[in-house]
Amino acid sequence: MRLVFMGAPGSGKGTQSLVLSNHLKVPQISTGDMLREAVSTGSLGRGFSELMEAGGLVPDDAMVSLVERRTAALDARGGFLLDGFPRTMGQAVALDGILAARNQSLTSVIVLEVATELLVERACLRRTDKRTGQIYHLKYKPPPAGADLAHRSDDFEEVVRARLEVYSAVTAELVPYYDDLGLLAKVDGVGSVADVSSRVLALVDQMMARKRPS
Ligand code: AMP
């Protein structure tokens, strides 16, 4: 399965794509995680990390070559789940081209739907365990005592609002694009992590059942 997981900042995209990648046993390719890793090791240009901190987008050519290389790795041969890519029409068209050159195509694009009012609170109260990478929410999924938590620098309210604007102005146009291609599957992203996971897994299990020859 070659899947794209879409959702606005704070929609639960990272949490749910991790659950799904474990279920399908395909790698979760999170461009945000790859970029944050590159920032922490100093291998990402300073201009790019400033763009991220302000809630903007890293330019398409850098993102496309990152994803082209990562999806060609051995562990992605049997499929992958892209989390946070594509985010622009240019990236979506480039991804189609990369896959077509390998005689491949996307299986499906899942979009997590969450009302905008909920997104700001969700993102601002998100914390990540520095040791395990596990994502918590101070109100809905409190971390265990003693967890060593990080608050992403782009999860403060002003930056979250900027990221939401980028999502609705740029990324949201991918929803009708993938819908026209017959690839889009919408999932209600409101509810507990477990409730949303069971919706996502039920959808993907249905897709796999349809693909299996009878
Ligand atoms: P995320 O963890 O997916 O919310 O991504 C965090 C930040 O990384 C975004 O706000 C962007 O600044 C940058 N980023 C991640 N993926 C992309 C992408 N596909 N295109 C451009 N910028 C990206």
Side-chain angles (χ1 to χ4, degrees):
M1 282 220 158
R2 283 177 288 273
L3 299 172
V4 166
F5 214 102
M6 282 184 65
S11 62
K13 162 177 74 71
T15 302
Q16 296 300 338
S17 61
L18 186 59
V19 170
L20 184 55
S21 84
N22 288 334
H23 179 74
L24 293 175
K25 299 185 176 54
V26 296
Q28 173 203 24
I29 300 181
S30 159
T31 45
D33 285 349
M34 291 166 82
L35 292 171
R36 279 184 289 278
E37 168 77 20
V39 169
S40 72
T41 59
S43 58
L44 192 72
R46 207 176 140 61
F48 288 177
S49 55
E50 277 166 5
L51 265 176
M52 289 172 70
E53 293 219 347
L57 294 180
V58 171
D60 283 357
D61 50 351
M63 296 311 304
V64 169
S65 56
L66 193 70
V67 167
E68 182 164 26
R69 256 180 289 130
R70 180 62 187 89
T71 54
L74 204 58
D75 67 336
R77 295 262 164 96
F80 52 75
L81 200 163
L82 284 169
D83 161 5
F85 182 96
R87 259 176 155 98
T88 67
M89 190 56 77
Q91 293 178 12
V93 171
L95 178 62
D96 292 343
I98 290 168
L99 295 178
R102 298 174 187 162
N103 285 320
Q104 294 173 344
S105 57
L106 284 175
T107 313
S108 184
V109 176
I110 298 172
V111 60
L112 266 190
E113 296 191 305
V114 176
T116 313
E117 311 86 77
L118 288 176
L119 293 169
V120 176
E121 186 196 57
R122 280 206 187 176
C124 293
L125 296 184
R126 170 164 60 187
R127 299 291 183 276
T128 310
D129 188 310
K130 288 185 199 159
R131 285 185 298 260
T132 61
Q134 177 67 51
I135 300 169
Y136 294 103
H137 186 279
L138 296 183
K139 191 159 149 193
Y140 302 118
K141 193 181 181 214
D148 187 11
L149 300 176
H151 188 181
R152 272 172 51 174
S153 57
D154 59 354
D155 272 349
F156 290 86
E157 182 164 347
E158 202 179 309
V159 184
V160 169
R161 291 197 185 277
R163 291 165 62 210
L164 284 170
E165 285 221 25
V166 168
Y167 185 84
S168 57
V170 182
T171 310
E173 68 175 337
L174 300 184
V175 171
Y177 172 74
Y178 284 125
D179 202 13
D180 286 349
L181 292 174
L183 290 173
L184 196 75
K186 294 181 180 173
V187 174
D188 176 4
V190 180
S192 68
V193 171
D195 284 347
V196 178
S197 296
S198 56
R199 282 176 215 141
V200 171
L201 297 183
L203 174 85
V204 170
D205 286 343
Q206 266 173 27
M207 278 177 201
M208 288 173 70
R210 275 202 302 268
K211 276 179 60 144
R212 224 169 273 139
S214 47

